[in-house]
Coordinates of all heavy atoms in Angstrom, one line a residue:
M595 N 65.8 42.1 -7.6 CA 64.4 42.4 -8.0 C 63.5 41.3 -8.2 O 62.4 41.4 -8.0 CB 64.5 43.3 -9.3 CG 65.1 44.6 -9.1 SD 63.8 45.8 -8.7 CE 64.6 47.3 -9.3
K596 N 64.1 40.2 -8.7 CA 63.3 38.9 -8.9 C 62.6 38.5 -7.6 O 61.5 38.1 -7.7 CB 64.2 37.9 -9.5 CG 63.4 36.7 -10.0 CD 64.4 35.6 -10.6 CE 63.6 34.4 -11.0 NZ 64.4 33.4 -11.7
F602 N 55.8 39.9 -4.0 CA 54.6 40.6 -4.2 C 53.6 39.7 -4.9 O 52.4 39.9 -4.7 CB 54.8 41.9 -4.9 CG 55.4 43.0 -4.1 CD1 56.7 43.5 -4.2 CD2 54.7 43.5 -3.0 CE1 57.2 44.4 -3.4 CE2 55.2 44.5 -2.2 CZ 56.4 45.0 -2.4
L605 N 51.7 37.9 -2.3 CA 50.8 38.7 -1.6 C 49.6 39.3 -2.4 O 48.7 39.9 -2.0 CB 51.5 39.9 -1.0 CG 52.6 39.6 0.0 CD1 53.2 40.8 0.6 CD2 52.0 38.7 1.1
K608 N 43.8 38.2 -2.2 CA 42.9 38.7 -1.1 C 42.9 37.6 0.1 O 43.2 37.9 1.3 CB 41.5 38.9 -1.5 CG 40.6 39.4 -0.4 CD 39.1 39.6 -0.9 CE 38.2 39.8 0.3 NZ 36.9 40.0 -0.2
L617 N 47.0 35.7 11.1 CA 48.2 35.1 11.7 C 49.0 36.2 12.4 O 49.7 36.0 13.3 CB 49.1 34.3 10.8 CG 48.4 33.0 10.4 CD1 49.2 32.4 9.2 CD2 48.5 32.1 11.5
C624 N 44.7 26.9 13.2 CA 44.4 25.6 12.4 C 43.8 26.0 11.1 O 43.1 27.0 10.9 CB 43.4 24.8 13.2 SG 42.9 23.3 12.5
D627 N 40.2 26.9 11.4 CA 39.9 28.2 11.8 C 39.9 29.2 10.6 O 39.0 30.0 10.5 CB 41.0 28.7 12.8 CG 41.2 27.8 14.0 OD1 40.1 27.2 14.4 OD2 42.2 27.8 14.6
Q636 N 38.4 23.7 2.5 CA 39.6 23.1 3.0 C 40.7 23.2 1.8 O 41.9 23.5 2.1 CB 39.5 21.7 3.6 CG 40.7 21.2 4.3 CD 41.6 20.4 3.3 OE1 41.1 19.9 2.3 NE2 42.9 20.5 3.5
S637 N 40.3 22.8 0.7 CA 41.3 22.7 -0.4 C 41.8 24.1 -0.7 O 43.0 24.2 -1.0 CB 40.8 22.0 -1.6 OG 39.6 22.6 -2.1
R644 N 49.8 26.7 1.6 CA 51.0 26.2 1.0 C 51.8 27.2 0.2 O 53.1 27.2 0.2 CB 50.6 24.9 0.1 CG 51.7 24.1 -0.4 CD 52.6 23.5 0.6 NE 52.0 23.0 1.8 CZ 52.6 22.7 3.0 NH1 53.9 22.8 3.1 NH2 52.0 22.3 4.0
T645 N 51.1 28.1 -0.5 CA 51.8 29.1 -1.2 C 52.6 30.0 -0.2 O 53.7 30.4 -0.4 CB 50.9 30.0 -2.1 OG1 50.2 29.1 -2.9 CG2 51.5 31.2 -2.7
L646 N 51.9 30.4 0.9 CA 52.6 31.2 1.9 C 53.7 30.4 2.6 O 54.8 31.0 2.8 CB 51.6 31.6 3.0 CG 50.5 32.6 2.6 CD1 49.5 32.7 3.7 CD2 51.1 34.0 2.2
S648 N 55.6 28.0 1.1 CA 56.6 27.9 0.0 C 57.4 29.3 -0.1 O 58.6 29.3 -0.4 CB 56.1 27.5 -1.3 OG 55.5 26.3 -1.3
G658 N 47.6 15.4 15.1 CA 46.6 14.6 14.7 C 46.2 14.8 13.2 O 47.0 14.8 12.3
L659 N 44.8 15.0 13.0 CA 44.4 15.3 11.6 C 44.6 16.7 11.1 O 44.4 17.0 10.0 CB 42.9 15.0 11.6 CG 42.5 13.6 11.9 CD1 40.9 13.4 11.9 CD2 43.0 12.6 10.8
R666 N 56.4 32.8 10.2 CA 57.7 32.4 10.3 C 58.6 33.7 10.3 O 58.2 34.6 9.5 CB 58.1 31.6 9.0 CG 59.6 31.1 9.1 CD 59.9 30.4 7.8 NE 59.3 29.1 7.8 CZ 59.3 28.2 6.9 NH1 59.8 28.6 5.7 NH2 58.8 27.1 7.0
P667 N 59.5 33.8 11.1 CA 60.4 35.0 11.1 C 61.0 35.2 9.7 O 61.5 34.3 9.1 CB 61.5 34.8 12.1 CG 60.9 33.7 13.0 CD 60.0 32.9 12.2
D671 N 65.3 41.7 4.8 CA 65.0 43.0 5.4 C 63.9 43.7 4.7 O 63.0 44.3 5.3 CB 66.2 43.9 5.4 CG 67.3 43.5 6.4 OD1 66.9 42.8 7.4 OD2 68.4 43.8 6.2
F672 N 63.9 43.6 3.4 CA 62.8 44.2 2.6 C 61.5 43.6 2.9 O 60.5 44.4 3.1 CB 63.2 44.1 1.0 CG 62.0 44.6 0.1 CD1 61.9 45.9 -0.1 CD2 61.2 43.7 -0.4 CE1 60.9 46.3 -0.9 CE2 60.1 44.1 -1.3 CZ 60.0 45.4 -1.5
R674 N 60.6 41.9 5.5 CA 60.2 42.1 6.9 C 59.6 43.6 7.1 O 58.6 43.8 7.7 CB 61.4 42.0 7.8 CG 61.1 42.0 9.3 CD 62.2 41.7 10.2 NE 63.5 42.2 9.8 CZ 64.5 41.4 9.4 NH1 64.2 40.1 9.2 NH2 65.6 41.9 9.0
L677 N 56.2 43.7 5.5 CA 55.1 43.0 6.3 C 54.8 43.8 7.5 O 53.6 43.8 7.9 CB 55.6 41.6 6.7 CG 55.7 40.6 5.5 CD1 56.4 39.3 6.0 CD2 54.3 40.3 5.0
T679 N 54.8 47.1 7.7 CA 53.9 48.2 7.2 C 52.5 47.6 6.8 O 51.5 48.3 7.2 CB 54.6 48.8 5.9 OG1 55.8 49.3 6.2 CG2 53.7 49.8 5.3
D686 N 44.2 49.6 10.9 CA 43.2 50.7 10.9 C 42.0 50.4 9.9 O 41.2 51.3 9.7 CB 44.0 52.0 10.4 CG 45.0 52.4 11.5 OD1 44.8 52.2 12.7 OD2 46.0 53.0 11.1
R687 N 42.0 49.3 9.3 CA 41.0 49.0 8.3 C 39.8 48.3 9.0 O 40.0 47.3 9.7 CB 41.5 48.1 7.2 CG 42.6 48.8 6.4 CD 43.0 47.9 5.3 NE 42.0 47.4 4.4 CZ 41.6 48.1 3.3 NH1 42.2 49.1 2.9 NH2 40.6 47.6 2.6
K688 N 38.6 48.7 8.6 CA 37.4 48.2 9.1 C 37.2 46.7 8.8 O 36.9 45.9 9.6 CB 36.2 48.9 8.7 CG 34.9 48.5 9.2 CD 33.7 49.3 8.8 CE 32.5 48.7 9.4 NZ 31.2 49.3 8.9
V692 N 36.7 43.4 11.3 CA 35.6 42.6 11.1 C 36.1 41.0 11.1 O 35.6 40.2 11.8 CB 34.8 42.8 9.9 CG1 33.8 41.7 9.6 CG2 34.0 44.2 10.1
Q703 N 33.4 29.5 20.0 CA 32.3 28.4 19.9 C 32.8 27.1 19.4 O 32.1 26.1 19.5 CB 31.1 28.9 19.1 CG 31.4 29.3 17.7 CD 31.3 28.1 16.7 OE1 30.5 27.3 16.9 NE2 32.1 28.2 15.7
C709 N 36.7 20.5 15.4 CA 36.9 21.7 14.7 C 35.6 22.2 14.1 O 35.5 22.7 12.9 CB 37.9 21.6 13.7 SG 39.2 22.8 13.7

Side-chain angles (χ1 to χ4, degrees):
M595 293 268 205
K596 185 177 181 181
F602 283 113
L605 297 180
K608 179 183 174 183
L617 290 168
C624 177
D627 300 330
Q636 184 274 327
S637 62
R644 189 55 42 196
T645 299
L646 293 170
S648 296
L659 297 174
R666 179 182 290 171
D671 291 337
F672 173 81
R674 185 173 40 254
L677 288 172
T679 300
D686 295 330
R687 294 184 53 96
K688 183 179 179 183
V692 168
Q703 63 87 33
C709 233

